[in-house]
Amino acid sequence: MISQHIIDRVVARRGQLHLFDTLSAARTALVVIDMQKTFCEPGAPAEVPASRSIVKAINRLAAGLREAGGTVVWCTHANVGVGNNSDWRNFFDHFVADDVRRRTIESLSPGGSGQAIWHELEVDASDLKLFKNRYSALVPGSSQLERMLRSLDIDTLLICGTKTNICCESTARDAMMMDFKVVMVSDGTAALSDQEHQASLENIIQQFGDVMTTEEILERLRA
């Protein structure tokens, strides 16, 4: 989904399209962002319909990375309701209407119905799970992701999940600027439209990381 003029620009700048010819599984983590009921379930307050279409790719990539000796991290979103407020007032007070605010906070509260990882995803007992409370899982105070990755000596992140242009891109941008190698999985991420999805992938491949399909990543893990 990368426009040809973007491909040409990237190749002219760095001499090749893809940053990584091989990937070390032992130092690689698949970070699956927000693939939970709040975003995946039909009729949910923050539904992303296309999120259900990427389940197969995520399952395939997770299985391949586990087999190669890598790490899978399920990162779901949670916000705590405080009376009529929450722990992210700037977002809930200004970016969503009252009825949406109430439904979303209820769904995203720890233990809420929307916290469950989408039932079609294949989660292994060896996988890691954590919460984040901002778009990016790596912005200070959002989650324990950075500490977890550093302790495991992981330097490469494969980003899957939803939305491509919001939480996935936010996490990918922060990861690159914190010196992680970043790969956005083009068939393992989903947005509310193809245009938003494509624009996000084009942002990433130009300045923040690589963009590959599941098959391209698995080929590099095998190499």
Side-chain angles (χ1 to χ4, degrees), residues 16-25 28 68 158 183 210-223:
Q16 59 185 24
L17 178 60
H18 291 299
L19 292 169
F20 312 119
D21 295 324
T22 62
L23 294 169
S24 170
T28 297
L158 313 175
V183 181
D210 212 333
V211 174
M212 298 185 198
T213 64
T214 296
E215 181 57 34
E216 289 172 328
I217 293 170
L218 291 174
E219 287 175 359
R220 283 161 174 77
L221 288 170
R222 289 191 286 265

Side-chain angles (χ1 to χ4, degrees), residues 15-171:
Q16 59 185 24
L17 178 60
H18 291 299
L19 292 169
F20 312 119
D21 295 324
T22 62
L23 294 169
S24 170
R27 302 199 68 191
T28 297
L30 170 61
V31 181
V32 185
I33 302 287
D34 291 351
M35 289 297 289
Q36 62 199 84
K37 289 179 67 177
T38 299
F39 301 96
C40 299
E41 187 172 54
E47 180 191 1
V48 181
S51 66
R52 297 185 289 276
S53 72
I54 62 174
V55 168
K56 183 177 180 180
I58 294 174
N59 284 339
R60 183 178 176 220
L61 184 53
L65 183 59
R66 288 189 204 102
E67 183 179 358
T71 302
V72 177
V73 182
W74 302 91
C75 186
T76 53
H77 195 95
N79 283 113
V80 178
V82 183
N84 294 323
N85 298 313
S86 79
D87 62 347
W88 195 7
R89 289 191 59 179
N90 184 51
F91 172 74
F92 286 105
D93 286 358
H94 301 292
F95 288 82
V96 293
D98 290 346
D99 60 327
V100 178
R101 178 191 306 121
R102 178 186 55 78
R103 293 179 60 219
T104 305
I105 291 177
E106 288 175 357
S107 179
L108 289 176
S109 294
S113 61
Q115 280 298 313
I117 294 174
W118 187 238
H119 65 277
E120 295 179 338
L121 290 162
E122 297 167 358
V123 182
D124 190 80
S126 65
D127 297 345
L128 305 175
K129 299 178 184 178
L130 55 83
F131 295 123
K132 65 179 179 65
N133 60 21
R134 294 295 186 273
Y135 291 146
S136 170
L138 288 168
V139 71
S142 175
S143 80
Q144 295 299 309
L145 181 60
E146 182 189 5
R147 182 175 297 179
M148 182 184 296
L149 297 172
R150 302 290 189 199
S151 69
L152 295 172
D153 197 29
I154 287 169
D155 68 357
T156 302
L157 305 188
L158 313 175
I159 306 292
C160 282
T162 195
K163 302 173 187 174
T164 314
N165 57 316
I166 307 296
C167 294
C168 295
E169 182 173 339
S170 295
T171 301

